[in-house]
Amino acid sequence: MAIRQKLKLGDVLVQAGAITSDQLNQALAKQQAKKIPLGQALVELGFITEEKFLTSLATQLKIPYLDMQGVKISQEAIRKVQESVARKHKVIPIDIENGSLKLAMTDPLNIFAVDEVTIQSGMDVITVLAAESDIERAIQEQYGVAASIKAAVKSLGVQEEKKEEAAAFISGDAGPATIDATEAPVAKLVEMILKQALDDGASDIHIEPTEDSLSIRYRIDGVLFEATKPPKSVESALISRIKVLAKMDIAETRAPQDGGFSARLGPKEIELRVSTCPTIYGENMVLRILDKSKLLVDLQGSGLIGRSLEKYHELLDKPYGVILVTGPTGSGKTTTLYGSLAKLNLPTRNIKTIEDPVEYRLDGIRQTQVNPKANITFATGLRSLMRQDPDIIMVGEIRDTETAEIAIQAALTGHLVLSTLHTNDTPGALSRLSDLKIEPFLLASSIVGVLAQRLVRKICTQCKVQHEPTEKELQVLFPKGDRQPVTLYHGEGCKACKKSGYTGRMGIFEILVITDDIRELVLKKAAPMTIRRKAVETQDMKSLREDAIAKVLSGLTTVDEVNRVTFADLES
């Protein structure tokens, strides 16, 4: 078997008459000095244009030159090559033709790249030549991970062996020249991280130190995805830069801190809440992104539809009482409350809120921020709001007995009160208030309804395809055995959804209306399961899991999402 050898790109161009041997030598020297590709060195020296370079190379090698402008890239082909391989060798799969993978490359002579793609894809590879800029743009578009972040990291010029120097310029030990030289690259890195998170629709950014690297992950539609792993040496610079922006103490690394800042990225202005926590490998940092342009105030658009929407609207039409929205952190409770306030917001009503923090500013509604330093807690703030002649009050969260008592007193004196609790389901909210020492007769007379919710990912409409349900899926969809013919959907993964098969999220809901039957059970201190059974019997209450299954049968989400966010044994 003949052993292939890697041809030299420069020799090919000399043979083609595109450049001279002397020009090649000069370009090779520049390439070594600047650590750039040979083609880029030739173009920068003015020895050849990029177009001439590509066409000459394609002609000499007898392979096609592909102008990638307007080329439609096959998602099936993209799935054959991992992102790491595409970035490493600067290649992008274009299409599958007659069982072979068509691969665009900046250097078709790189037989190692061809071999790696062949092994990974399990297919023969047909190579075409394309401009490096076109391939890098295609990689960014198709794989959607922050190449720009890596470029910003590289621009820092901080190597592992210079870690101490990197820490010095942030702490101020280095002179002004060092600070001036490095401040812009660090700022650029932070900007790129934020921009990529915004472009990807992330809700949170996790900056996580490990023993020998730094991991940056984005939470997109409730799921964490790794964006990049910068070298450990940039950790101090990156964390300190964000601390400065968030008005935090950069010298304090052994205690948790909280802060925040605003940033304008293009036409958007976003707010970020920043939290740090010390770990054995350094400070872990999480940035929560508050993008006002993405605030959803349409309850129906959030996934609250049909009879569930009607029941919730009926609750909002009550003149007084407490309406609770429950669920874990990140389940969309705040969005639901804001959607509720948007529906209730009329010029004839005085609406007040006490929040921690005020995530979004709503026109026509007076919002108050919790501020312990000024003695403004949920309890003290709510007590003050009661003296402001409100019609409707929104309390960001009921955390303690005092806040719960004041909220209930507000409801009993003729106010409509909206608030949140951290419980898993609707009956659990009543138990939680009992744990806070609220008397049963107060609960029965003040609570008018409880809404529990979760968020499930929606199937991407760009790559949505049908599939026949599996036996496991049928068991989830029809737990009682009364099976019916169904067609399910899933996302294959595409550019629009960044290969996940999902785009965006919607709510699944469980609504408990406090009727006379339920009040009687509350007064008797009945167990949550007893209250649940009565609600199912008398008001046909649907559980979170049942609502999620209904959305699967409607083609909006998948069984995998149902299993990810709900428990059959607790809710069925």
Side-chain angles (χ1 to χ4, degrees), residues 191-442:
E191 180 186 349
M192 290 297 100
I193 291 172
L194 296 181
K195 185 177 185 303
Q196 186 66 40
L198 202 61
D199 290 345
D200 288 350
S203 60
D204 300 86
I205 303 170
H206 290 243
I207 302 174
E208 302 164 326
T210 63
E211 185 174 6
D212 54 7
S213 66
L214 185 68
S215 175
I216 296 178
R217 297 194 292 170
Y218 296 149
R219 187 175 294 279
I220 303 172
D221 293 335
V223 179
L224 281 170
F225 295 91
E226 185 169 273
T228 186
K229 277 196 168 184
K232 183 77 170 176
S233 55
V234 308
E235 177 186 328
S236 177
L238 178 60
I239 296 293
S240 296
R241 171 65 182 176
I242 297 174
K243 278 186 171 183
V244 169
L245 292 172
K247 297 180 174 60
M248 299 160 73
D249 184 357
I250 64 172
E252 178 57 78
T253 60
R254 296 174 295 178
Q257 294 188 66
D258 293 294
F261 64 98
S262 299
R264 177 171 291 280
L265 299 171
K268 285 187 176 182
E269 183 170 347
I270 60 173
E271 293 186 8
L272 297 107
R273 286 157 45 190
V274 183
S275 171
T276 65
C277 184
T279 71
I280 59 174
Y281 294 125
E283 285 187 281
N284 197 89
M285 179 174 280
V286 178
L287 293 82
R288 167 63 60 89
I289 301 173
L290 305 176
D291 182 3
K292 189 174 182 179
S293 67
K294 294 178 66 176
L295 176 62
L296 183 64
V297 295
D298 177 14
L299 289 173
Q300 186 170 356
S302 70
L304 194 58
I305 56 179
R307 179 57 186 150
S308 295
L309 181 63
E310 292 175 6
K311 289 168 72 173
Y312 190 63
H313 278 171
E314 289 169 5
L315 292 177
L316 293 177
D317 288 338
K318 300 284 186 183
Y320 56 84
V322 177
I323 298 174
L324 297 172
V325 180
T326 77
T329 300
S331 61
K333 300 187 299 296
T334 301
T335 300
T336 297
L337 285 182
Y338 282 151
S340 304
L341 292 179
K343 180 184 183 301
L344 295 169
N345 191 13
L346 298 174
T348 55
R349 291 171 173 163
N350 182 18
I351 301 177
K352 303 282 188 179
T353 76
I354 176 74
E355 305 172 57
D356 183 25
V358 175
E359 295 191 3
Y360 300 101
R361 289 157 178 77
L362 303 175
D363 292 337
I365 295 176
R366 270 58 63 187
Q367 298 169 269
T368 301
Q369 166 76 51
V370 166
N371 184 359
K373 293 181 179 178
N375 195 31
I376 302 176
T377 63
F378 278 120
T380 60
L382 181 55
R383 190 177 287 110
S384 297
L385 294 185
M386 288 291 293
R387 296 191 288 269
Q388 293 283 308
D389 186 30
D391 297 301
I392 299 168
I393 299 172
M394 190 267 271
V395 183
E397 182 183 346
I398 293 178
R399 296 176 178 172
D400 52 46
T401 300
E402 186 180 7
T403 304
E405 289 175 342
I406 299 171
I408 286 173
Q409 289 300 324
L412 293 176
T413 54
H415 303 87
L416 184 63
V417 180
L418 284 70
S419 190
T420 70
L421 273 177
H422 285 93
T423 62
N424 288 324
D425 57 10
T426 51
L430 301 174
S431 296
R432 171 66 178 144
L433 290 174
S434 294
D435 292 340
L436 292 175
K437 310 302 182 185
I438 304 301
E439 294 294 336
F441 74 90
L442 290 175

Side-chain angles (χ1 to χ4, degrees), residues 156 169-170 177-189 241 244:
L156 276 170
F169 75 73
I170 285 296
T178 308
I179 295 174
D180 292 341
T182 55
E183 190 176 78
V186 176
K188 185 68 174 176
L189 173 58
R241 171 65 182 176
V244 169

Side-chain angles (χ1 to χ4, degrees), residues 50 90 92 125 213 259 281 386 394 402 424 453 480-481 509 523 556:
E50 184 178 28
K90 289 189 171 61
I92 188 77
V125 173
S213 66
Y281 294 125
M386 288 291 293
M394 190 267 271
E402 186 180 7
N424 288 324
Q453 70 177 80
K480 298 178 182 179
F509 301 91
L523 289 170
L556 299 174

Side-chain angles (χ1 to χ4, degrees), residues 144-165:
V145 180
S148 53
I149 292 177
K150 294 182 180 180
V153 170
K154 187 177 179 181
S155 71
L156 276 170
V158 182
Q159 304 299 323
E160 284 292 339
E161 60 269 19
K162 297 183 179 179
K163 184 175 179 180
E164 293 183 1
E165 295 176 20

Side-chain angles (χ1 to χ4, degrees), residues 106-170:
T106 59
D107 182 5
L109 301 176
N110 187 349
I111 60 175
F112 304 112
V114 175
D115 286 345
E116 190 166 354
V117 171
T118 299
I119 293 170
Q120 187 175 100
S121 64
M123 305 177 71
D124 291 333
V125 173
I126 302 171
T127 60
V128 297
L129 182 66
E132 182 176 345
S133 57
D134 287 344
I135 288 179
E136 288 183 344
R137 181 168 57 251
I139 290 173
Q140 176 71 1
E141 291 176 352
Q142 296 300 323
Y143 293 101
V145 180
S148 53
I149 292 177
K150 294 182 180 180
V153 170
K154 187 177 179 181
S155 71
L156 276 170
V158 182
Q159 304 299 323
E160 284 292 339
E161 60 269 19
K162 297 183 179 179
K163 184 175 179 180
E164 293 183 1
E165 295 176 20
F169 75 73
I170 285 296

